[in-house]
Amino acid sequence: MVVVKEYRIPMPFTVEEYRRGNMYCLRKHLLSEAGAAGGAEIIEIGQTEHPIVGNCQFVKRRYALDESFPSFMRAISTNGTTLEEFHNSSLPVSSSIMKLPAFQSFMLRIDTLLLEDCGTTPNAFNLPANALSKRQVQIIDIAKATTKLTSTLENGQTLGSLAANWQKTEKKMMCVYKLVTVEFEYWGLKSAVRKKSLLLHNSSSWVASMDR
């Protein structure tokens, strides 16, 4: 079974601002996870060739499946099961492929593309007709998250809270397009992999900390 879901996450930034903030937030996350139990084990770092952006960095990681992972992943795993990730990034394009070595029929792929629009590009990933027929599109409004989206800049200015109609009033706008493709042969997982709560939480936290 294959599930294809495209999430569109409008953000109050330019693509360049997001790219710079992304580098900071990723480094901060890696530092916070470095000493944590169940954190990522970096297997390899190197250079690879991306079909769109050319030369870029890749990272191979291994994770122990714990409570921080979605329940549908834990449901098909046993104690000691690990998740392996191959991630390459050269924003505005990046991709991650995650596999469970113990289950050859499971694969999770997340492709990311940054565009300076408000989520209106109909086929940002240039999917063929057969993939488009399976794709489901969902727009995520970060203002609906529980994270407080107010933070103070170094010069004392504030980003302010995002109003309910913020996408119509913000002067700067970009969109994070995430194409999530899951292949599996385990019954009962189809509805689980459609949950958007993790993306909503992560994206709203991203905005709240980007000014740092």
Side-chain angles (χ1 to χ4, degrees):
M1 183 178 294
V2 178
V3 176
V4 181
K5 189 86 173 184
E6 182 180 309
Y7 295 95
R8 302 177 184 180
I9 314 168
M11 295 277 197
F13 302 109
T14 65
V15 168
E16 177 58 23
E17 287 174 336
Y18 184 93
R19 187 191 66 80
R20 295 199 309 266
N22 176 77
M23 294 173 64
Y24 167 80
C25 291
L26 281 177
R27 288 179 181 138
K28 181 181 178 182
H29 174 72
L30 289 174
L31 286 174
S32 67
E33 290 289 318
E41 173 192 356
I42 296 178
I43 303 172
E44 183 181 359
I45 298 177
Q47 298 293 315
T48 187
E49 193 72 14
H50 193 281
I52 298 177
V53 297
N55 187 56
C56 65
Q57 185 182 67
F58 76 85
V59 180
K60 285 185 178 180
R61 301 185 183 96
R62 181 183 294 119
Y63 302 86
L65 290 180
D66 57 18
E67 294 299 319
S68 65
F69 282 84
S71 58
F72 78 89
M73 283 189 176
R74 302 197 307 272
I76 62 173
S77 64
T78 57
N79 290 336
T81 299
T82 58
L83 174 76
E84 292 186 355
E85 175 193 22
F86 180 88
H87 174 78
N88 64 62
S89 178
S90 184
L91 290 177
V93 177
S94 69
S95 64
S96 290
I97 299 176
M98 287 163 267
K99 296 183 178 182
L100 294 167
F103 300 91
Q104 295 299 318
S105 56
F106 176 88
M107 188 277 291
L108 169 64
R109 180 185 177 105
I110 302 176
D111 292 287
T112 302
L113 177 63
L114 310 181
L115 294 177
E116 292 203 350
D117 63 25
C118 57
T120 54
T121 301
N123 188 11
F125 295 95
N126 296 316
L127 296 177
N130 62 333
L132 282 175
S133 66
K134 299 177 182 178
R135 182 192 66 169
Q136 300 175 57
V137 176
Q138 188 162 6
I139 297 177
I140 294 180
D141 185 355
I142 57 176
K144 295 181 179 179
T146 55
T147 302
K148 187 178 181 181
L149 299 181
T150 302
S151 50
T152 304
L153 304 176
E154 291 182 357
N155 59 10
Q157 296 180 346
T158 180
L159 288 174
S161 297
L162 294 177
N165 63 340
W166 69 273
Q167 297 182 37
K168 297 180 180 179
T169 58
E170 287 292 324
K171 296 180 179 179
K172 293 183 291 186
M173 181 70 68
M174 59 153 288
C175 185
V176 181
Y177 289 81
K178 287 189 175 288
L179 183 69
V180 181
T181 305
V182 187
E183 298 179 8
F184 55 90
E185 295 179 1
Y186 301 95
W187 294 103
L189 296 184
K190 187 173 181 179
S191 60
V193 299
R194 291 176 175 171
K195 293 182 179 179
K196 68 173 185 177
S197 57
L198 185 61
L199 279 177
L200 177 59
H201 171 74
N202 289 348
S203 299
S204 61
S205 299
W206 212 260
V207 174
S209 61
M210 285 279 277
D211 59 284
R212 301 193 186 99

